[in-house]
Amino acid sequence: MILETERLILRQINENHTEDILKIRSNEVINRYVKRNSPQTNYDALAFILHIKKKTQDKEIIFWGISYKDHPRLIGTICLWNFSHDRKTAEVGYELLPDYHKKGIMSEAFRNVLTFGFNDLQLQKILAFTNPFNQDSQTLLVKHGFVLDEKMKDKEIPDNIIFSLKNPL
């Protein structure tokens, strides 16, 4: 599944993206706000890619690598995952290499993924979990109409805050 924007291509990741995934998922700036086991080697990154491919086949996740149309290297990722049992709610996850921050890239990708989620998947609500200190993430969410849901709590990472966006249709 490929999504295109004015400048970007969002496409499924594969084994050819091993070095890019390693670079993205092991980046110190990105991981400042994300609690996960980051890949340390190409083997770890490849294992992650294979894991994502399996989850994609099982329809548990829709995961895109983000790249410029004229440059094949991935500069970030974005996904819809953690679908509710009735598939009316999903969580959006995203990350972008720091060299590409503040250029409207994630906003451009985000807009297309939200549209896809609401129009193609018929989602009623999209959630976003973020660290309370990740101001850039919160700014992105608010810019796209998300609101802080103070009643919701992240069971896995209690410090996270949760934003939600209802289908505007």
Side-chain angles (χ1 to χ4, degrees):
M1 170 156 337
I2 295 174
L3 299 178
E4 287 192 41
T5 71
E6 184 178 327
R7 299 180 289 172
L8 307 172
I9 293 180
L10 284 63
R11 62 177 168 241
Q12 187 174 355
I13 62 170
N14 62 48
E15 294 83 349
N16 294 327
H17 297 119
T18 299
E19 288 181 20
D20 295 340
I21 291 297
L22 177 62
K23 184 176 180 180
I24 293 165
R25 293 189 61 87
S26 65
N27 184 278
E28 283 183 33
V29 174
I30 293 171
N31 287 330
R32 183 178 341 152
Y33 300 118
V34 180
K35 293 185 180 183
R36 64 176 169 207
N37 292 325
S38 298
Q40 302 300 309
T41 66
N42 279 354
Y43 180 80
D44 295 341
L46 179 60
F48 173 78
I49 290 167
L50 295 175
H51 172 75
I52 291 300
K53 286 179 80 171
K54 171 83 168 91
K55 294 246 182 224
T56 299
Q57 288 173 346
D58 294 344
K59 301 193 184 319
E60 294 179 37
I61 191 169
I62 303 171
F63 193 98
W64 295 272
I66 302 169
S67 65
Y68 281 111
K69 284 182 175 179
D70 62 351
H71 193 309
R73 301 303 300 244
L74 299 184
I75 59 173
T77 68
I78 190 165
C79 67
L80 291 170
W81 71 295
N82 203 11
F83 290 88
S84 62
H85 182 67
D86 61 7
R87 300 207 50 101
K88 294 182 185 216
T89 301
E91 182 180 338
V92 63
Y94 46 91
E95 57 195 349
L96 187 67
L97 288 169
D99 288 349
Y100 302 94
H101 288 184
K102 309 280 188 205
K103 296 180 180 180
I105 293 167
M106 188 53 75
S107 192
E108 194 173 316
F110 207 73
R111 190 176 320 109
N112 271 32
V113 169
L114 295 178
T115 299
F116 174 82
F118 288 133
N119 293 347
D120 294 46
L121 300 180
Q122 298 295 303
L123 293 172
Q124 292 180 1
K125 185 174 14 173
I126 297 177
L127 303 175
F129 294 56
T130 192
N131 183 292
F133 299 108
N134 190 342
Q135 197 59 50
D136 288 341
S137 179
Q138 291 179 52
T139 299
L140 175 74
L141 294 169
V142 170
K143 177 180 179 179
H144 289 279
F146 281 75
V147 293
L148 178 63
D149 188 333
E150 295 184 27
K151 294 178 183 175
M152 290 187 75
K153 300 292 178 202
D154 185 344
K155 294 174 184 143
E156 292 183 29
I157 305 173
D159 292 341
N160 276 349
I161 55 178
I162 302 171
F163 287 76
S164 65
L165 177 65
K166 291 184 179 175
N167 190 333
L169 303 176

